[in-house]
Amino acid sequence: MVPARKNGYAIGAFNVQNLESTLAIVEAAAEEKSPVIMQITPSVIKYAGLAYIISIVKTAAQSAPVPVAMHLDHGEDFETAAKCVEAGFTSVMIDGSFLSFEENSALTKRVVDIAHRKGVSVEAELGKLAGVEERSVEEKEAILTDPDAAAEFVEKTGVDALAVAIGTSHGAYKFKSEAKLDLERLKAISKKVSIPLVLHGASNVPQWIVEKANKYGAALSGAKGIPEEQIKQAISLGIAKINIDTDLRLAFTATVREVLTNSPKEFDPRKILGPAKDAMKEVAKSKMRLFGSSGKA
Ligand code: G3H
Ligand code: 13P
Ligand code: ZN
């Protein structure tokens, strides 16, 4: 991520849950000759089991012709982060964004201390990724990342990458009205913080995929994400890691629905999940091109 920030591109960090999503991402990265981050959330660890998901992702990383990082996404406490450091993750996120500044710094510092001893890098988050629409100016100030606080946080904790809140949120319903990131705030953070910055909640929610899903029975009206132009601007202002989960889920779901509708006699899981995996792969490849990481491996 350090070369990415220095050279004005970003690495895609894609959430994986199972074999299909892992294959989709590693195949996309290989075809695009792009470095890639595969990230695993605590809820995936509960769903798949740590040993299973690690084996799948490690197998992909070992056989890939490009660099693949295995990252803990939204580590919720010290114990989870420590377990992942021990288990061979290349980086971990400790998400103390809902704690006070002091508590978040202290927790992050504890994780940095154990992770760095093993050569594992650490991402933390300052500010909250809650919806910002319909909030007063003071409320927005309270949840979006403050540039001075960000500089102090990085200095205090020794963290390697910082997730910032500039108006994105997780999921498929990011904006009720105009989609707009606080790029001025990002510029101010970028001036004070030189480590790679991370953008969570960065899915674009492509309308053609939403329409395809709805055509085959989904109920996803009003889904809206981040315009691609704003992602490009964010990269030019220091974002070097971009988290994508929702767009992959949408592609997967729309394709499963399409196959089941168009091929009612099909009951081989591979014939249903295979096309869904390919749909996720195409989304991941288009992100790598958008983020500028294609050809960088
Ligand atoms: O923020 C990360 C994900 O989009 C949520 O993932 O449902 O695996 O916890 P999860
Ligand atoms: P999206 O929901 O926008 O894909 O964000 C995913 C994310 O931030 C995972 O940490
Ligand atoms: Zn996130």
Side-chain angles (χ1 to χ4, degrees):
M1 277 187 289
V2 172
R5 171 145 190 194
K6 220 162 110 195
N7 295 298
Y9 65 95
I11 313 282
F14 301 95
N15 288 75
V16 297
Q17 299 97 6
N18 55 18
L19 176 66
E20 282 71 22
S21 44
T22 305
L23 286 175
I25 303 312
V26 73
E27 288 174 11
E31 287 175 27
E32 287 297 319
K33 300 185 174 40
S34 170
V36 75
I37 299 165
M38 294 208 199
Q39 50 187 16
I40 297 163
T41 60
S43 66
V44 169
I45 295 173
K46 285 190 196 100
Y47 171 77
L50 188 61
Y52 276 103
I53 194 69
I54 285 182
S55 312
I56 294 171
V57 172
K58 270 195 182 164
T59 304
Q62 280 158 7
S63 52
V66 293
V68 176
M70 181 167 71
H71 174 73
L72 170 68
D73 188 27
H74 293 284
E76 55 206 352
D77 49 40
F78 178 81
E79 290 68 30
T80 308
K83 203 189 277 180
C84 290
V85 166
E86 285 306 315
F89 281 55
T90 48
S91 58
V92 294
M93 176 187 189
I94 180 69
D95 183 355
S97 60
F98 285 88
L99 299 171
S100 69
F101 179 89
E102 290 306 331
E103 288 168 333
N104 189 358
S105 316
L107 174 62
T108 301
K109 175 85 175 66
R110 268 182 85 200
V111 173
V112 167
D113 287 344
I114 56 144
H116 283 184
R117 258 183 256 141
K118 294 251 173 190
V120 173
S121 64
V122 180
E123 171 186 337
E125 179 169 326
L126 192 65
K128 300 181 185 75
L129 251 79
V132 286
E133 284 185 298
E134 291 153 18
R135 283 179 190 266
S136 67
V137 175
E138 300 86 76
E139 283 172 331
K140 276 184 202 170
E141 284 301 317
I143 61 172
L144 297 178
T145 306
D146 174 73
D148 290 317
E152 188 186 337
F153 184 87
V154 169
E155 170 75 31
K156 262 188 154 160
T157 59
V159 76
D160 304 283
L162 184 70
V164 292
I166 55 165
T168 61
S169 57
H170 292 113
Y173 301 88
K174 299 185 194 295
F175 302 98
K176 292 195 189 86
S177 50
E178 195 199 352
K180 204 169 178 328
L181 299 187
D182 190 344
L183 294 170
E184 283 306 313
R185 181 178 298 271
L186 177 59
K187 197 188 264 177
I189 297 168
S190 225
K191 277 198 184 129
K192 292 175 188 270
V193 175
S194 58
I195 60 170
L197 301 174
V198 182
L199 192 63
H200 283 244
S203 278
N204 167 256
V205 188
Q207 290 306 297
W208 71 270
I209 302 183
V210 172
E211 281 159 23
K212 177 172 154 182
N214 286 344
K215 178 177 167 192
Y216 294 109
L220 295 169
S221 65
K224 197 176 193 179
I226 315 291
E228 293 193 339
E229 195 43 49
Q230 292 188 38
I231 295 290
K232 280 192 192 160
Q233 286 175 282
I235 296 169
S236 75
L237 295 172
I239 294 291
K241 170 177 180 273
I242 301 189
N243 286 15
I244 300 290
D245 188 357
T246 295
D247 285 352
L248 299 173
R249 295 180 183 201
L250 288 171
F252 181 88
T253 299
T255 304
V256 166
R257 287 182 178 279
E258 178 185 42
V259 174
L260 292 177
T261 305
N262 291 344
S263 312
K265 290 188 195 302
E266 188 56 71
F267 60 89
D268 179 342
R270 294 166 299 182
K271 302 274 168 54
I272 299 163
L273 299 179
K277 180 210 68 173
D278 289 340
M280 287 194 286
K281 173 162 99 174
E282 288 312 312
V283 167
K285 287 176 71 172
S286 74
K287 298 292 176 192
M288 290 165 190
R289 293 194 286 264
L290 176 70
F291 302 163
S293 69
S294 293
K296 296 289 195 306

Short mmCIF file of all heavy atoms in Angstrom, two decimals, residues 62-97:
data_model
loop_
_atom_site.label_atom_id
_atom_site.label_comp_id
_atom_site.label_asym_id
_atom_site.label_seq_id
_atom_site.Cartn_x
_atom_site.Cartn_y
_atom_site.Cartn_z
N GLN A 62 -0.81 -18.74 -2.22
CA GLN A 62 0.41 -19.49 -2.58
C GLN A 62 0.47 -19.82 -4.06
O GLN A 62 1.54 -19.89 -4.64
CB GLN A 62 0.50 -20.77 -1.74
CG GLN A 62 1.04 -20.48 -0.34
CD GLN A 62 0.67 -21.55 0.67
OE1 GLN A 62 0.12 -22.59 0.32
NE2 GLN A 62 0.96 -21.29 1.93
N SER A 63 -0.69 -20.04 -4.66
CA SER A 63 -0.66 -20.44 -6.06
C SER A 63 -0.79 -19.24 -7.02
O SER A 63 -0.65 -19.41 -8.23
CB SER A 63 -1.75 -21.48 -6.34
OG SER A 63 -2.98 -20.99 -5.87
N ALA A 64 -1.05 -18.06 -6.47
CA ALA A 64 -1.26 -16.90 -7.35
C ALA A 64 0.05 -16.37 -7.93
O ALA A 64 1.07 -16.37 -7.25
CB ALA A 64 -1.94 -15.79 -6.57
N PRO A 65 0.01 -15.91 -9.18
CA PRO A 65 1.22 -15.32 -9.78
C PRO A 65 1.41 -13.85 -9.39
O PRO A 65 2.26 -13.17 -9.95
CB PRO A 65 0.93 -15.46 -11.29
CG PRO A 65 -0.56 -15.42 -11.39
CD PRO A 65 -1.12 -15.98 -10.12
N VAL A 66 0.57 -13.37 -8.46
CA VAL A 66 0.63 -11.95 -8.04
C VAL A 66 0.63 -11.91 -6.51
O VAL A 66 0.22 -12.89 -5.87
CB VAL A 66 -0.61 -11.18 -8.57
CG1 VAL A 66 -0.60 -11.06 -10.09
CG2 VAL A 66 -1.92 -11.82 -8.09
N PRO A 67 1.05 -10.79 -5.89
CA PRO A 67 1.02 -10.71 -4.43
C PRO A 67 -0.42 -10.67 -3.89
O PRO A 67 -1.25 -9.89 -4.37
CB PRO A 67 1.73 -9.39 -4.11
CG PRO A 67 2.42 -8.98 -5.36
CD PRO A 67 1.68 -9.60 -6.50
N VAL A 68 -0.70 -11.55 -2.92
CA VAL A 68 -2.04 -11.60 -2.30
C VAL A 68 -1.87 -11.44 -0.80
O VAL A 68 -1.16 -12.23 -0.16
CB VAL A 68 -2.72 -12.96 -2.59
CG1 VAL A 68 -4.08 -13.06 -1.87
CG2 VAL A 68 -2.91 -13.18 -4.09
N ALA A 69 -2.50 -10.44 -0.23
CA ALA A 69 -2.45 -10.25 1.22
C ALA A 69 -3.70 -10.86 1.85
O ALA A 69 -4.78 -10.85 1.24
CB ALA A 69 -2.38 -8.76 1.55
N MET A 70 -3.53 -11.40 3.06
CA MET A 70 -4.69 -11.95 3.80
C MET A 70 -4.92 -11.06 5.02
O MET A 70 -4.08 -10.99 5.91
CB MET A 70 -4.40 -13.39 4.22
CG MET A 70 -5.56 -14.03 4.96
SD MET A 70 -5.38 -15.83 5.13
CE MET A 70 -4.05 -15.95 6.31
N HIS A 71 -6.05 -10.38 5.03
CA HIS A 71 -6.29 -9.29 5.98
C HIS A 71 -7.54 -9.55 6.81
O HIS A 71 -8.56 -10.00 6.29
CB HIS A 71 -6.45 -8.01 5.13
CG HIS A 71 -6.83 -6.79 5.89
ND1 HIS A 71 -5.95 -6.11 6.71
CD2 HIS A 71 -8.00 -6.09 5.95
CE1 HIS A 71 -6.56 -5.05 7.24
NE2 HIS A 71 -7.80 -5.02 6.80
N LEU A 72 -7.43 -9.24 8.10
CA LEU A 72 -8.63 -9.27 8.96
C LEU A 72 -9.35 -7.93 8.80
O LEU A 72 -8.77 -6.88 9.05
CB LEU A 72 -8.23 -9.48 10.42
CG LEU A 72 -9.36 -9.28 11.44
CD1 LEU A 72 -10.42 -10.38 11.33
CD2 LEU A 72 -8.81 -9.22 12.88
N ASP A 73 -10.62 -7.99 8.39
CA ASP A 73 -11.42 -6.77 8.19
C ASP A 73 -12.30 -6.54 9.42
O ASP A 73 -12.98 -7.47 9.88
CB ASP A 73 -12.28 -6.97 6.93
CG ASP A 73 -13.02 -5.72 6.49
OD1 ASP A 73 -12.53 -4.61 6.77
OD2 ASP A 73 -14.07 -5.86 5.84
N HIS A 74 -12.30 -5.34 9.94
CA HIS A 74 -13.13 -4.98 11.11
C HIS A 74 -12.94 -5.91 12.30
O HIS A 74 -13.92 -6.38 12.90
CB HIS A 74 -14.63 -4.93 10.72
CG HIS A 74 -14.95 -3.80 9.79
ND1 HIS A 74 -15.04 -2.49 10.19
CD2 HIS A 74 -15.15 -3.81 8.45
CE1 HIS A 74 -15.30 -1.73 9.13
NE2 HIS A 74 -15.36 -2.50 8.06
N GLY A 75 -11.65 -6.17 12.63
CA GLY A 75 -11.37 -6.92 13.87
C GLY A 75 -12.03 -6.19 15.03
O GLY A 75 -11.85 -4.98 15.20
N GLU A 76 -12.80 -6.91 15.81
CA GLU A 76 -13.67 -6.21 16.78
C GLU A 76 -13.04 -6.08 18.17
O GLU A 76 -13.49 -5.28 18.97
CB GLU A 76 -15.01 -6.95 16.87
CG GLU A 76 -14.80 -8.43 17.19
CD GLU A 76 -15.92 -9.34 16.72
OE1 GLU A 76 -16.96 -8.83 16.26
OE2 GLU A 76 -15.75 -10.56 16.82
N ASP A 77 -12.02 -6.90 18.45
CA ASP A 77 -11.39 -6.80 19.77
C ASP A 77 -9.95 -7.29 19.68
O ASP A 77 -9.52 -7.86 18.67
CB ASP A 77 -12.18 -7.60 20.82
CG ASP A 77 -12.48 -9.01 20.35
OD1 ASP A 77 -11.60 -9.62 19.71
OD2 ASP A 77 -13.60 -9.50 20.59
N PHE A 78 -9.21 -7.08 20.77
CA PHE A 78 -7.79 -7.45 20.81
C PHE A 78 -7.60 -8.94 20.55
O PHE A 78 -6.72 -9.34 19.78
CB PHE A 78 -7.21 -7.06 22.19
CG PHE A 78 -5.77 -7.45 22.34
CD1 PHE A 78 -4.76 -6.66 21.81
CD2 PHE A 78 -5.42 -8.63 23.00
CE1 PHE A 78 -3.43 -7.03 21.92
CE2 PHE A 78 -4.09 -9.01 23.11
CZ PHE A 78 -3.09 -8.21 22.57
N GLU A 79 -8.47 -9.77 21.17
CA GLU A 79 -8.31 -11.23 21.07
C GLU A 79 -8.43 -11.70 19.61
O GLU A 79 -7.65 -12.54 19.17
CB GLU A 79 -9.36 -11.94 21.93
CG GLU A 79 -9.15 -11.79 23.43
CD GLU A 79 -9.37 -10.35 23.96
OE1 GLU A 79 -10.20 -9.61 23.37
OE2 GLU A 79 -8.71 -9.98 24.95
N THR A 80 -9.41 -11.18 18.89
CA THR A 80 -9.59 -11.59 17.49
C THR A 80 -8.36 -11.19 16.67
O THR A 80 -7.84 -11.99 15.87
CB THR A 80 -10.85 -10.93 16.87
OG1 THR A 80 -11.95 -11.19 17.75
CG2 THR A 80 -11.15 -11.45 15.49
N ALA A 81 -7.90 -9.96 16.88
CA ALA A 81 -6.72 -9.50 16.12
C ALA A 81 -5.51 -10.36 16.46
O ALA A 81 -4.77 -10.79 15.56
CB ALA A 81 -6.45 -8.03 16.44
N ALA A 82 -5.33 -10.66 17.74
CA ALA A 82 -4.17 -11.45 18.17
C ALA A 82 -4.23 -12.85 17.56
O ALA A 82 -3.22 -13.39 17.09
CB ALA A 82 -4.14 -11.53 19.70
N LYS A 83 -5.43 -13.43 17.54
CA LYS A 83 -5.59 -14.77 16.98
C LYS A 83 -5.22 -14.78 15.49
O LYS A 83 -4.57 -15.70 14.99
CB LYS A 83 -7.07 -15.20 17.15
CG LYS A 83 -7.25 -16.70 17.14
CD LYS A 83 -8.71 -17.09 17.09
CE LYS A 83 -9.37 -17.09 18.45
NZ LYS A 83 -10.80 -17.47 18.36
N CYS A 84 -5.60 -13.73 14.79
CA CYS A 84 -5.30 -13.68 13.35
C CYS A 84 -3.82 -13.42 13.10
O CYS A 84 -3.25 -13.94 12.14
CB CYS A 84 -6.19 -12.62 12.67
SG CYS A 84 -7.91 -13.15 12.63
N VAL A 85 -3.19 -12.62 13.95
CA VAL A 85 -1.75 -12.40 13.84
C VAL A 85 -1.04 -13.75 13.98
O VAL A 85 -0.18 -14.13 13.18
CB VAL A 85 -1.25 -11.41 14.93
CG1 VAL A 85 0.28 -11.43 15.04
CG2 VAL A 85 -1.74 -10.00 14.62
N GLU A 86 -1.44 -14.51 15.01
CA GLU A 86 -0.84 -15.84 15.25
C GLU A 86 -1.10 -16.79 14.09
O GLU A 86 -0.28 -17.64 13.76
CB GLU A 86 -1.42 -16.46 16.53
CG GLU A 86 -0.89 -15.85 17.81
CD GLU A 86 0.63 -15.84 17.87
OE1 GLU A 86 1.24 -16.87 17.54
OE2 GLU A 86 1.21 -14.80 18.23
N ALA A 87 -2.28 -16.65 13.47
CA ALA A 87 -2.69 -17.61 12.44
C ALA A 87 -2.07 -17.34 11.07
O ALA A 87 -2.33 -18.07 10.12
CB ALA A 87 -4.21 -17.61 12.33
N GLY A 88 -1.29 -16.26 10.96
CA GLY A 88 -0.59 -16.03 9.69
C GLY A 88 -1.20 -14.99 8.77
O GLY A 88 -0.81 -14.91 7.60
N PHE A 89 -2.12 -14.17 9.28
CA PHE A 89 -2.62 -13.07 8.45
C PHE A 89 -1.45 -12.12 8.17
O PHE A 89 -0.57 -11.94 9.02
CB PHE A 89 -3.74 -12.31 9.17
CG PHE A 89 -5.08 -12.99 9.10
CD1 PHE A 89 -5.26 -14.30 9.54
CD2 PHE A 89 -6.20 -12.31 8.63
CE1 PHE A 89 -6.50 -14.92 9.47
CE2 PHE A 89 -7.45 -12.93 8.56
CZ PHE A 89 -7.59 -14.23 8.98
N THR A 90 -1.47 -11.48 6.99
CA THR A 90 -0.39 -10.53 6.69
C THR A 90 -0.70 -9.15 7.24
O THR A 90 0.20 -8.33 7.42
CB THR A 90 -0.15 -10.44 5.17
OG1 THR A 90 -1.42 -10.28 4.51
CG2 THR A 90 0.51 -11.70 4.65
N SER A 91 -2.00 -8.87 7.49
CA SER A 91 -2.37 -7.60 8.12
C SER A 91 -3.69 -7.78 8.85
O SER A 91 -4.48 -8.68 8.52
CB SER A 91 -2.46 -6.48 7.09
OG SER A 91 -3.40 -6.81 6.09
N VAL A 92 -3.89 -6.93 9.84
CA VAL A 92 -5.16 -6.99 10.60
C VAL A 92 -5.70 -5.58 10.78
O VAL A 92 -4.94 -4.62 10.92
CB VAL A 92 -4.98 -7.65 12.00
CG1 VAL A 92 -4.61 -9.12 11.87
CG2 VAL A 92 -3.97 -6.92 12.86
N MET A 93 -7.03 -5.49 10.79
CA MET A 93 -7.66 -4.22 11.15
C MET A 93 -8.18 -4.36 12.57
O MET A 93 -8.81 -5.36 12.92
CB MET A 93 -8.84 -3.91 10.23
CG MET A 93 -9.58 -2.64 10.63
SD MET A 93 -11.08 -2.39 9.66
CE MET A 93 -11.52 -0.74 10.20
N ILE A 94 -7.89 -3.34 13.38
CA ILE A 94 -8.56 -3.27 14.68
C ILE A 94 -9.51 -2.08 14.58
O ILE A 94 -9.09 -0.95 14.34
CB ILE A 94 -7.57 -3.18 15.87
CG1 ILE A 94 -8.32 -3.11 17.19
CG2 ILE A 94 -6.56 -2.06 15.73
CD1 ILE A 94 -9.04 -4.38 17.58
N ASP A 95 -10.79 -2.37 14.70
CA ASP A 95 -11.80 -1.33 14.51
C ASP A 95 -12.31 -0.82 15.86
O ASP A 95 -13.24 -1.37 16.44
CB ASP A 95 -12.95 -1.89 13.66
CG ASP A 95 -13.99 -0.82 13.36
OD1 ASP A 95 -13.87 0.31 13.88
OD2 ASP A 95 -14.94 -1.12 12.61
N GLY A 96 -11.66 0.22 16.33
CA GLY A 96 -12.08 0.84 17.59
C GLY A 96 -12.85 2.12 17.32
O GLY A 96 -12.89 3.01 18.17
N SER A 97 -13.46 2.21 16.14
CA SER A 97 -14.08 3.48 15.74
C SER A 97 -15.26 3.88 16.63
O SER A 97 -15.63 5.05 16.65
CB SER A 97 -14.50 3.43 14.27
OG SER A 97 -15.41 2.39 14.05
#
